[in-house]
Amino acid sequence: MQPTVPPNASPTDWPAYLLARAPAMIAYVDADTRYRYATPSYREWMGIDGDIVGRRMDDVVPAKLYARILPGVEAALRGDTSVVDREIRDDEGRHFAQATVSPDLDDEGRVRGIFIMLADVSARRELEARLRESERRFSLAFRYAAIGMALVRPDGRWLQVNEAVCAILGYSEDDLLASAFQDITHPDDLEADLALTQHVLEGERPSFHMEKRYIHRDGHIVYALISVSLVRDERGEPLYFISQIQDISERKAFEDALFRERELAEVTLKSIGDAVITTDPQLIVTSLNPIAEAMTGWSSHEAIGRPMDDIFRLRDPLTRQPIPNPLHTAVSRNTIVGLTTDAILLHRNGFDSPIEDSAAPIHDHAGNVVGGVVVFHDVSETRALALKMAHLAHHDTLTGLPNRTLLQSRMDFAVTVAARRGQRAAVLFVDIDHFKQINDTMGHAAGDALLQEVALRIRSAVRPDDTVSRLGGDEFVVLLPHIEDAADASTVAENVLQACGEAVGVGADASALAISFSIGISLFPDDARDAEALLRNADTAMYEAKMQGRNGYRFFNASMNERNSARVRIEMELRRALARNELSLHYQPKVDMEVGTIVGAEALLRWQVDGVDVYSPEQFIPVAEDCGLIVPIGDWALREACRQAEAWSRTYRPISVSVNVSALQFQHTRFYESLHSVLEDTRLHPTLLELELTERTVMEGGDHIAQLLRQIKQMGVALSLDDFGTGYCSLSYLKHFPVDTLKIDRAFIRDVTSDGDSAAIVRAIIAMGRGMHKHVLAEGVESEEQAAFLRDAGCAQMQGFLFGRAVSARDFEARIAEVDTGLPGRR
């Protein structure tokens, strides 16, 4: 029980009364640890219910709690005052206290009891825990911040740095703490940095931001954006700076690159051959390059600020009516728009010129349209040539007949229509018998004249709706898009044989030449359901006609062996020929008319036995490519040509040799290693070797082919583009390939002295090659008139029958041994 004091109590009773109601946690126990007194707050904190006077502590206090305070109690019973520094926690773990246990001594110094005073430190404990957690979080945030964090003394010495600062500057933490920021600041930035620092120290500003340069430990410059603020003590004296350091080197590099790109764009716009006009989103002109000024008649300072339609005036060439400016659509729809064909641009002074152009929106970094650009160029001189080239892309240059590409398109269409209507169609595959012998004995000119005459006769023998095509060489195809039955196809075949059966006058003396034909016929839908199979089956039937004695026609039937039978036969014989070393190289001279000498030779593959062709290259090389033999054959040819060229360079003089490389061989994974091995083994200087590649090989090879071309070029080996002008090489891509020589195809050279278009194309190719700093060589030169034209057009290097056929290495050596003078066509 707690003592109570009545209202009329004497003053001596007041201490007990006050203690009973005081918040202090006080208790008194005797020497036997029996409670003699305890304040209510003590009992509540200790979790004791009821009256405890006379009861022992170990009976009253919970066991776990008593075990924690027992050491202090025992010390007091020995006469020692104990202030327990560690915290004492009750069973529920919700309170923390510090206990002071003091002995109560009698007059003789014996312990007669113990005073226990408890101080509740729960609030302080929570505050300290929060403080420690806050300090821990700050320490972690400081140390592992993504940007650099540093504490810097007022004199500039580093006080504390995090890992990011060390990573940015390249120094360890110990290195930085032993130095000052002035030691690693770029000298050109130090003055401005110190001035801003002084302003903050003097209270003129609370903080500052600046871009500056540090010197990295390895010596390179680090661009940084720093934010600095000052921490002062309670008296306002500076304690330290807090610095945030962000590495902006990459951003600065981007800014520098952007500046260079802008400069490059500015120079490019002023120097390119296309006209360029830019506008704002309202199509108000913002810039013109010099070409645009010339084509519109407006100077840049006059045009800027004016509406686009005032400057860029488009008209229809027939009606002379205005054509909508494509830039309106490009900007409003946020898309790239091309100009309609045949548009003309009206000059400020009234004259006009045909143009091609494209318009596109200009975007900011967020993708918003902030303007537009139109790029255009004059096509006056190229439009006619483009039409000619477009015709050549779908027609045979020698006969004017549709080529394989156009034939394929028409066959696909005919098959589709016939299938839809339930009709029939037919394909005739026509081949001239023994044409190679005619070509070899009478020359290519006579062979070409024969092909042209045959084309005319076949065309005259078929119906108006039929298509006559030349696939190449002496192969022609006739497409009959609609027939009633097989008899209709037979009638056409007989008409062709009759029309072409009459003697043809060819050669210089126009001697009559009797020729015959083999024709294969395939019917739709009887023999095939698609155009490709229809053509393949007609080809097979044609070979059957040849096997049956030639000069006739055969219908395809299922019992016929696929043309693979012939190819399989060639393949088997070719494998035996390789084992018997029946393949050889012949060399055709390449001459330079300016110096009047042989400057090189093209190695051409031959398959001969006792000097007689077993098969022509046109027959066995495709088979070798199909069965994969072209790779070992190509490796052999490359090695043999290099060996021969090295022997000539030792015996006579250095003569370069060019070797045709098939796409399959060139795209082989080990071609580069094989080429390197050949050059090492033969000891031929790389500059004496030239590889001839087709446009298809270069254009369809992908990035690895472009890389391979660069590697070969770095090796020193020359590269040439064979049959240039007959493929589809994009001129915009040609400049990116390290090609040394463009070889003009014989198809253009043949008519160069009689056909203005061919002459224009040849001149254009020569001018383009020279403009791109590439050599140009003309193939198939057979007359002095052709040689004179080419020389006058700027093409000095030539190759063809005029200078010699392809001959064996021994015969070619005889040519080298002769004096290199008196070449035909040389002045």
Side-chain angles (χ1 to χ4, degrees), residues 407-444:
L407 173 66
Q408 184 67 46
S409 175
R410 292 186 180 181
M411 288 177 61
D412 290 338
F413 179 75
V415 167
T416 301
V417 172
R420 183 184 303 121
R421 297 178 179 178
Q423 297 176 342
R424 306 176 77 184
V427 168
L428 280 63
F429 202 108
V430 183
D431 186 85
I432 303 175
D433 295 332
H434 306 298
F435 177 75
K436 184 179 183 302
Q437 295 179 9
I438 300 172
N439 225 17
D440 291 343
T441 57
M442 305 187 68
H444 286 288

Side-chain angles (χ1 to χ4, degrees), residues 127-143:
L127 182 61
E128 289 175 348
R130 290 179 181 177
L131 180 59
R132 285 194 301 273
E133 178 63 18
S134 176
E135 290 176 346
R136 186 185 69 83
R137 290 178 179 176
F138 174 78
S139 176
L140 291 175
F142 181 91
R143 186 167 190 81

Side-chain angles (χ1 to χ4, degrees), residues 708-727:
L708 177 57
L709 290 172
R710 287 189 288 270
Q711 289 178 319
I712 294 173
K713 183 65 177 174
Q714 292 170 358
M715 187 187 295
V717 175
L719 298 168
S720 68
L721 211 54
D722 199 13
D723 300 335
F724 183 75
T726 61

Side-chain angles (χ1 to χ4, degrees), residues 262-477:
R262 286 176 176 172
E263 288 294 304
L264 177 61
E266 187 73 20
V267 172
T268 302
L269 286 176
K270 291 181 178 179
S271 60
I272 62 174
D274 285 350
V276 180
I277 302 177
T278 62
T279 72
D280 64 12
Q282 288 72 43
L283 270 63
I284 302 300
V285 175
T286 57
S287 73
L288 289 83
N289 73 343
I291 301 298
E293 291 180 326
M295 292 187 64
T296 62
W298 291 85
S299 64
S300 182
H301 73 274
E302 290 178 311
I304 292 176
R306 298 179 67 93
M308 178 67 168
D309 290 338
D310 290 352
I311 311 302
F312 190 65
R313 298 181 294 168
L314 299 175
R315 297 291 184 269
D316 184 283
L318 299 178
T319 66
R320 309 296 295 181
Q321 294 300 310
I323 295 177
N325 190 326
L327 197 56
H328 287 280
T329 303
V331 172
S332 62
R333 297 184 181 179
N334 191 18
T335 185
I336 298 175
V337 179
L339 183 64
T340 56
T341 58
D342 298 329
I344 60 174
L345 174 66
L346 191 62
H347 192 274
R348 187 179 186 183
N349 295 333
F351 64 86
D352 54 54
S353 55
I355 65 168
E356 291 180 353
D357 86 339
S358 64
I362 300 175
H363 302 99
D364 61 14
H365 67 281
N368 302 312
V369 177
V370 295
V373 59
V374 60
V375 181
F376 55 98
H377 58 275
D378 191 332
V379 294
S380 302
E381 298 180 359
T382 60
R383 181 159 290 177
L385 182 60
L387 293 175
K388 177 65 176 179
M389 296 295 285
H391 178 80
L392 292 176
H394 293 89
H395 292 79
D396 175 51
T397 57
L398 176 64
T399 63
L401 295 176
N403 61 10
R404 182 185 293 270
T405 301
L406 183 55
L407 173 66
Q408 184 67 46
S409 175
R410 292 186 180 181
M411 288 177 61
D412 290 338
F413 179 75
V415 167
T416 301
V417 172
R420 183 184 303 121
R421 297 178 179 178
Q423 297 176 342
R424 306 176 77 184
V427 168
L428 280 63
F429 202 108
V430 183
D431 186 85
I432 303 175
D433 295 332
H434 306 298
F435 177 75
K436 184 179 183 302
Q437 295 179 9
I438 300 172
N439 225 17
D440 291 343
T441 57
M442 305 187 68
H444 286 288
D448 290 346
L450 173 61
L451 291 172
Q452 290 171 332
E453 178 63 23
V454 167
L456 292 174
R457 294 189 180 188
I458 296 177
R459 180 67 265 181
S460 66
V462 302
R463 302 168 304 180
D465 293 340
D466 300 336
T467 295
V468 180
S469 169
R470 180 184 176 222
L471 295 187
D474 61 340
E475 296 178 336
F476 296 84
V477 172

Side-chain angles (χ1 to χ4, degrees), residues 147 472 578:
I147 63 173
L578 288 174

Side-chain angles (χ1 to χ4, degrees), residues 397-399 448 452 746-754 780 786:
T397 57
L398 176 64
T399 63
D448 290 346
Q452 290 171 332
R746 66 176 66 251
F748 299 115
I749 303 302
R750 178 184 56 250
D751 301 325
V752 75
T753 58
S754 59
Q786 293 170 345

Side-chain angles (χ1 to χ4, degrees), residues 1-4 15-28 37-53 118:
M1 292 181 58
Q2 301 299 323
T4 58
Y17 176 79
L18 292 175
L19 282 174
R21 285 160 177 78
M25 295 181 290
I26 301 173
Y28 182 84
Y37 176 79
T39 63
S41 58
Y42 176 88
R43 294 199 311 274
E44 181 181 0
W45 193 92
M46 295 290 284
I48 302 172
D49 296 326
D51 189 6
I52 62 173
V53 174
L118 300 179

